[in-house]
C-alpha cells in the first residue's frame, strides 16, 4: 500500500496526521493532483459544500507602532498607505449592510496598531451593538492584542469570533517582527478562546519561510483548536522590507493549502489576502481544501468583486 493511500485511510478513519507525515507529503513525491484530490475529498466530507463568506472593513488605518516586515500599515515604513482614525458607526453600518446584501455571512472590524485605546474600544463596542441590532451578520473582530476582560466585553456586545493571526511558525517569527513576540500573539488567541469567542487564526505564506516551517505553523495553529484558518499569500508592498520577496507559484500556494487541509481536517481553510497571486487558478483552491473565503477588498489592497467570487463559487458546484 503506497504512502498516500495509508494517509487517506488514516484521515478517513478520523485520525490526525503527524508532523513527520505532513513533511513526507510535502516532499513532492506525490503528484499534486492526487494530493489535491485527497484534500478535496476530506474537505467535502467534513465541511460540506457550503462556502463560509466573510468580509472586513479597515476601521482604523496606518500608523501602527509595530514593525511587521510585511505590513503596509506599519509606521516604520514609507508605503503611502492612507492613515485615518477609527471610522464612525454610520460608515461601518453602511458597509456592513452592503456586504450582507451581497450574500456575506460574517463581517469584521479590523484596526491597525498593536491594540486600541480604551476610548476607541468603547466606541467599537457601541458599533458592534448597532451592527447586532441592524444586521443579521455574524460579527467578528480583529483589534490586535486583546485581554481576557476585553474579550468578554466583545462577546457581550455580540461578537462571536476573534481574528488574530500567528503569521508564521514560532521559529521563523523573529525574522518578521521584533516589536512584539510570538507568545504575545498566542496569549491573545488564548484570551479570546477563554472568553468563549470562536477563533480565526492563520498566517501568511511566501515570506521566505520553508515549506517545513509552513507545516510547523499549521501544527501550532491546530494545537490551539482553531476552527477558521485564513491563508494569506504575501503581497510584497513597496516600502516594506519584503518588497522584493519572490512571489510563490500557483502550484506551491495550492500545495500549501492542501497540506493545511490534511493537517486540520475539521477547520475552515479560508482564502484570504493575496489569493490574487493565483490569477486564473483561484477556483482550483476549492478543489484543494478551501472551504471559506474572505471576499471584497482587503485592508490596503483591492480584491475581486464579491459578485465575481460568488459566480466562481457557484461555477464550482458549491453553495453560498
Amino acid at each position: 500500500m503506497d504512502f498516500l493511500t495509508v494517509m487517506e485511510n488514516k484521515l478517513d478513519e478520523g485520525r490526525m496526521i503527524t508532523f513527520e507525515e505532513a513533511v513526507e507529503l510535502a516532499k513532492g513525491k506525490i503528484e499534486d493532483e492526487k494530493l489535491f484530490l485527497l484534500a478535496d475529498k476530506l474537505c467535502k466530507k467534513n465541511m460540506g459544500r457550503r462556502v463560509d463568506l466573510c468580509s472586513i472593513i479597515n476601521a482604523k488605518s496606518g500608523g501602527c507602532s509595530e514593525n511587521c516586515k510585511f505590513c503596509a500599515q506599519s509606521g516604520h515604513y514609507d508605503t503611502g498607505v492612507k492613515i485615518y482614525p477609527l471610522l464612525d458607526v454610520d460608515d461601518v453600518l453602511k458597509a456592513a449592510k452592503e456586504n450582507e446584501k451581497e450574500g456575506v455571512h460574517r463581517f469584521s472590524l479590523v484596526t491597525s496598531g498593536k491594540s486600541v485605546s480604551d476610548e476607541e474600544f468603547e466606541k467599537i463596542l457601541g458599533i458592534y451593538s448597532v451592527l447586532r441590532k441592524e444586521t443579521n451578520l455574524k460579527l467578528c473582530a480583529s483589534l490586535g492584542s486583546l485581554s481576557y476582560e476585553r474579550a468578554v466585553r466583545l462577546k457581550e456586545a455580540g461578537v462571536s469570533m476573534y481574528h488574530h493571526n500567528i503569521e508564521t511558525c514560532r521559529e521563523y517569527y523573529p525574522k518578521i517582527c521584533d516589536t512584539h513576540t510570538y507568545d504575545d500573539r498566542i496569549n491573545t488567541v488564548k484570551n479570546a478562546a477563554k472568553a468563549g469567542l470562536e477563533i480565526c487564526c492563520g498566517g501568511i505564506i511566501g515570506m521566505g519561510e520553508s515549506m517545513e516551517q509552513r507545516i510547523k505553523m499549521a501544527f501550532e495553529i491546530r494545537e490551539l483548536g482553531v476552527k477558521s484558518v485564513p491563508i494569506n499569500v504575501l503581497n510584497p508592498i513597496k516600502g516594506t522590507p519584503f518588497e522584493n520577496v519572490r512571489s510563490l507559484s500557483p502550484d506551491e500556494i495550492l500545495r500549501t493549502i492542501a497540506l493545511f487541509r490534511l493537517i486540520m481536517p475539521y477547520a475552515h481553510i479560508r482564502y484570504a489576502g493575496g489569493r490574487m497571486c493565483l490569477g486564473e487558478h483561484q477556483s482550483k483552491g476549492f478543489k484543494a481544501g478551501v472551504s471559506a473565503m474572505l471576499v471584497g477588498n482587503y485592508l490596503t489592497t483591492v480584491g475581486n468583486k464579491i459578485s465575481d467570487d460568488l459566480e466562481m463559487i457557484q461555477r464550482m458546484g458549491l453553495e453560498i
Side-chain angles (χ1 to χ4, degrees):
M1 190 179 296
D2 63 77
F3 182 65
L4 185 62
T5 303
V6 172
M7 292 299 96
E8 183 174 9
N9 291 341
K10 183 174 186 177
L11 289 163
D12 200 44
E13 292 168 1
R15 294 184 289 150
M16 307 291 262
I17 65 172
T18 65
F19 174 78
E20 291 75 20
E21 289 168 340
V23 170
E24 190 68 22
L25 285 166
K27 286 182 178 178
K29 297 177 182 178
I30 297 163
E31 295 175 19
D32 283 350
E33 291 308 316
K34 290 183 178 179
L35 187 68
F36 299 162
L37 187 63
L38 175 55
D40 183 47
K41 178 183 176 182
L42 194 63
C43 181
K44 300 301 189 295
K45 175 185 176 182
N46 293 330
M47 310 308 296
R49 304 190 70 84
R50 181 176 180 269
V51 180
D52 186 78
L53 302 178
C54 68
S55 64
I56 60 176
I57 185 169
N58 192 1
K60 176 190 173 187
S61 179
C64 180
S65 62
E66 307 307 287
N67 67 355
C68 303
K69 293 179 181 178
F70 57 82
C71 188
Q73 299 197 71
S74 172
H76 293 257
Y77 319 125
D78 183 11
T79 64
V81 71
K82 288 184 179 179
I83 299 176
Y84 54 80
L86 190 65
L87 295 176
D88 290 328
V89 62
D90 290 342
D91 294 324
V92 178
L93 181 60
K94 179 183 177 182
K97 285 186 172 182
E98 288 173 352
N99 280 271
E100 184 176 28
K101 188 176 180 181
E102 291 269 19
V104 169
H105 307 125
R106 302 176 181 275
F107 182 78
S108 180
L109 275 69
V110 183
T111 57
S112 68
K114 186 174 183 179
S115 61
V116 295
S117 69
D118 289 342
E119 182 180 352
E120 289 169 333
F121 187 69
E122 294 301 325
K123 184 176 179 180
I124 287 167
L125 291 176
I127 291 173
Y128 278 118
S129 295
V130 171
L131 292 176
R132 181 173 59 177
K133 293 175 183 176
E134 298 291 331
T135 76
N136 292 311
L137 291 161
K138 293 180 181 179
L139 302 178
C140 308
S142 184
L143 312 174
S145 298
L146 190 73
S147 66
Y148 168 71
E149 291 75 20
R150 282 189 172 186
V152 169
R153 296 193 66 196
L154 283 173
K155 185 173 175 59
E156 291 171 348
V159 173
S160 62
M161 180 177 283
Y162 197 77
H163 167 259
H164 197 67
N165 286 342
I166 59 171
E167 309 300 9
T168 189
C169 68
R170 178 181 289 276
E171 73 175 28
Y172 196 70
Y173 193 85
K175 294 188 178 181
I176 70 164
C177 179
D178 62 17
T179 50
H180 61 269
T181 67
Y182 176 92
D183 283 320
D184 288 334
R185 290 187 172 272
I186 295 295
N187 289 339
T188 286
V189 170
K190 289 182 176 180
N191 285 338
K194 182 180 176 183
L197 293 168
E198 296 177 80
I199 303 299
C200 181
C201 177
I204 305 171
I205 63 173
M207 297 190 292
E209 77 289 341
S210 66
M211 179 63 87
E212 186 169 316
Q213 287 168 327
R214 286 178 215 151
I215 291 170
K216 286 181 179 179
M217 172 172 67
F219 275 87
E220 288 164 9
I221 292 169
R222 189 174 87 176
E223 189 175 333
L224 292 168
V226 174
K227 296 304 181 186
S228 174
V229 185
I231 298 180
N232 298 272
V233 183
L234 179 69
N235 179 18
I237 302 294
K238 187 176 181 180
T240 67
F242 286 167
E243 65 177 323
N244 295 316
V245 172
R246 178 186 63 85
S247 296
L248 298 179
S249 69
D251 285 345
E252 188 168 358
I253 295 168
L254 292 169
R255 194 171 185 84
T256 302
I257 287 170
L259 288 166
F260 269 60
R261 166 56 61 202
L262 301 185
I263 294 165
M264 292 175 281
Y266 302 103
H268 275 303
I269 303 300
R270 188 178 299 275
Y271 255 157
R275 63 182 166 90
M276 313 298 286
C277 296
L278 285 165
E280 62 184 14
H281 302 290
Q282 284 187 55
S283 62
K284 291 183 178 179
F286 292 106
K287 292 292 187 181
V290 169
S291 62
M293 181 186 251
L294 171 60
V295 296
N297 292 332
Y298 308 120
L299 293 177
T300 60
T301 55
V302 177
N304 293 346
K305 290 182 179 178
I306 295 178
S307 58
D308 290 342
D309 279 338
L310 298 184
E311 182 182 337
M312 174 174 62
I313 291 167
Q314 291 173 327
R315 191 170 64 246
M316 298 302 292
L318 300 170
E319 302 168 3
I320 298 167

